[in-house]
Amino acid sequence: MRDELLDLKELLSNENADLNPHVASDLGIGRYIKRSDRIKRYLPKGRLLDWGCGLGQMTYLLKNRGFDVVSYDIDQCGRDFLARIGQTLVLAEDQSKLPFPDA
């Protein structure tokens, strides 16, 4: 967990800490790591939607756990971070229309 925390902290270091306090501390990042570990424990590997991905911290963590993640948001705030981790942002024109077929 410590290595991943340091990696994510370094990757997010260019983001404005005042606007993103949830990822500006070890405690904040640690919470996301614990959430992603819980998701890995209960869900089978496969395609997963990070709806409202924000900066992309959960996308990064879930990709590290073997998920095929679709990063989806209503604005482009996380585009730089997502580009640094090789992830494309699906920009929502309508929040109720998800990038998956029905069912």
Side-chain angles (χ1 to χ4, degrees):
M1 178 173 152
R2 187 76 187 151
D3 290 340
E4 191 171 47
L5 187 142
L6 293 173
D7 288 344
L8 189 53
K9 194 172 181 178
E10 182 179 331
L11 283 166
L12 291 167
S13 65
N14 293 334
E15 304 301 328
N16 187 331
D18 292 337
L19 297 176
N20 302 294
H22 57 291
V23 292
S25 69
D26 290 0
L27 178 63
I29 293 171
R31 288 179 178 152
Y32 286 104
I33 291 171
K34 285 182 181 180
R35 286 181 189 141
S36 61
D37 286 341
R38 197 171 316 129
I39 290 168
K40 179 184 177 189
R41 188 170 40 244
Y42 293 108
L43 292 180
K45 297 249 185 337
R47 197 165 188 217
L48 197 91
L49 177 65
D50 187 0
W51 187 81
C53 68
L55 295 174
Q57 67 276 8
M58 282 300 289
T59 293
Y60 170 80
L61 293 167
L62 293 168
K63 283 180 70 167
N64 284 353
R65 283 151 182 78
F67 289 96
D68 175 20
V69 183
V70 175
S71 304
Y72 187 79
D73 210 323
I74 60 172
D75 64 33
Q76 298 182 21
C77 68
R79 185 174 295 269
D80 293 338
F81 175 77
L82 291 168
R84 283 196 303 275
I85 64 169
Q87 183 74 15
T88 301
L89 172 66
V90 176
L91 197 56
E93 294 178 17
D94 179 348
Q95 296 175 43
S96 65
K97 293 183 181 176
L98 300 178
F100 296 109
D102 289 345

